[in-house]
Amino acid sequence: MLFWTILCLAVLSCQSLGADQTSVVDEFNDALEEGLQSVRVLIQNTESHLPSAVNKAFDYFNRLQDKPNGVAEAANALYETAKNTVTQVSAETEAIFSKLSVLTDQPRLPQNILQLIADHHNLQDFLIKEAREAFSQTIRTHHLGSSKADEKLASFLQQKTNAIKQAVTSIASAVHDVIGHLQNSANSSLSKEAVENILRSGMETLGFAIVFAQEEIKDAMSH
């Protein structure tokens, strides 16, 4: 993914000024899709590691010869809650990226990007809060509070969603910056060449944002 971004930036820097604007827009949207794919990798990684995360959360009991009643049932409940949370996080992340494409066939500009970022963060926090409460209720129901399994699993999800929020913020903020320049261009009736240059500059900005997001994702998957 990092290689793709660097290669894309190199290709764009070599394009002539008179290149077709639609192709530049397509490149920008393709880069945005690359950013989304990077976030998808983290989400998929999180889901695939849920079984081991749940197992680690119950490590206190797993080391006992005689496990208390309800450990398996509680572990299954925590897993299902966590999996459902990851599914919702994935859906909401897909939704914000679907609103970030710079131009479509209309064409159109994405609107209220900073609000989209804020709404995405708030919803992610809400989903984790709900999961944390559900985890705690399950642990209380089965009288397994000494394990602190709910806190451990909630921390696992929190760390992953924090990385997702960082990645979304980086990429969406880059799009926000480019949109501002495009809107200014429309207001000042800049030439086609000037608009193309703005898009190319935006491509570079987005490329760096993707690199940053990928580093955040790489770090999140290493823990």
Side-chain angles (χ1 to χ4, degrees):
M1 289 183 291
L2 178 58
F3 172 78
W4 184 97
T5 302
I6 294 174
L7 177 62
C8 191
L9 292 175
V11 169
L12 284 175
S13 67
C14 294
Q15 289 180 329
S16 65
L17 194 59
D20 180 71
Q21 184 175 336
T22 301
S23 66
V24 180
V25 172
D26 289 342
E27 290 286 355
F28 194 95
N29 288 335
D30 287 346
L32 188 61
E33 177 66 21
E34 181 73 11
L36 172 58
Q37 184 57 36
S38 297
V39 179
R40 284 173 179 155
V41 169
L42 173 56
I43 292 173
Q44 292 165 359
N45 178 269
T46 300
E47 184 170 1
S48 68
H49 281 78
L50 281 180
S52 63
V54 172
N55 190 55
K56 288 179 181 178
F58 282 94
D59 184 60
Y60 172 80
F61 291 127
N62 291 335
R63 288 184 280 109
L64 299 178
Q65 288 187 346
D66 296 322
K67 295 181 182 179
N69 294 329
V71 171
E73 185 177 347
N76 287 336
L78 262 62
Y79 171 78
E80 291 300 327
T81 299
K83 184 177 180 180
N84 182 59
T85 300
V86 173
T87 298
Q88 293 180 76
V89 166
S90 176
E92 295 304 327
T93 302
E94 294 279 343
I96 187 173
F97 271 92
S98 72
K99 299 173 182 176
L100 289 178
S101 57
V102 175
L103 297 170
T104 60
D105 293 337
Q106 280 75 14
R108 72 163 177 83
L109 298 175
Q111 302 295 317
N112 304 318
I113 295 176
L114 295 182
Q115 187 60 52
L116 288 175
I117 295 172
D119 290 344
H120 178 264
H121 284 21
N122 290 336
L123 186 52
Q124 299 278 64
D125 291 342
F126 175 75
L127 291 173
I128 294 301
K129 179 175 180 290
E130 277 200 325
R132 189 183 296 275
E133 291 174 352
F135 293 160
S136 296
Q137 182 58 53
T138 297
I139 293 301
R140 287 195 299 269
T141 298
H142 293 279
H143 309 290
L144 301 173
S146 58
S147 69
K148 298 188 182 298
D150 51 336
E151 298 176 16
K152 295 174 185 177
L153 190 57
S155 294
F156 170 82
L157 287 182
Q158 184 76 69
Q159 189 255 342
K160 304 301 182 182
T161 55
N162 282 346
I164 292 170
K165 289 192 295 185
Q166 288 280 358
V168 168
T169 297
S170 176
I171 295 170
S173 295
V175 175
H176 172 74
D177 291 343
V178 177
I179 295 310
H181 289 304
L182 285 172
Q183 289 171 334
N184 290 337
S185 299
N187 293 336
S188 57
S189 300
L190 294 182
S191 65
K192 174 184 176 182
E193 288 79 8
V195 173
E196 289 172 358
N197 283 338
I198 290 171
L199 287 172
R200 286 195 183 91
S201 175
M203 183 68 193
E204 184 175 7
T205 299
L206 181 56
F208 287 132
I210 292 171
V211 170
F212 175 81
Q214 289 172 342
E215 289 301 313
E216 289 290 318
I217 290 167
K218 180 180 178 181
D219 183 66
M221 290 194 298
S222 68
H223 292 86

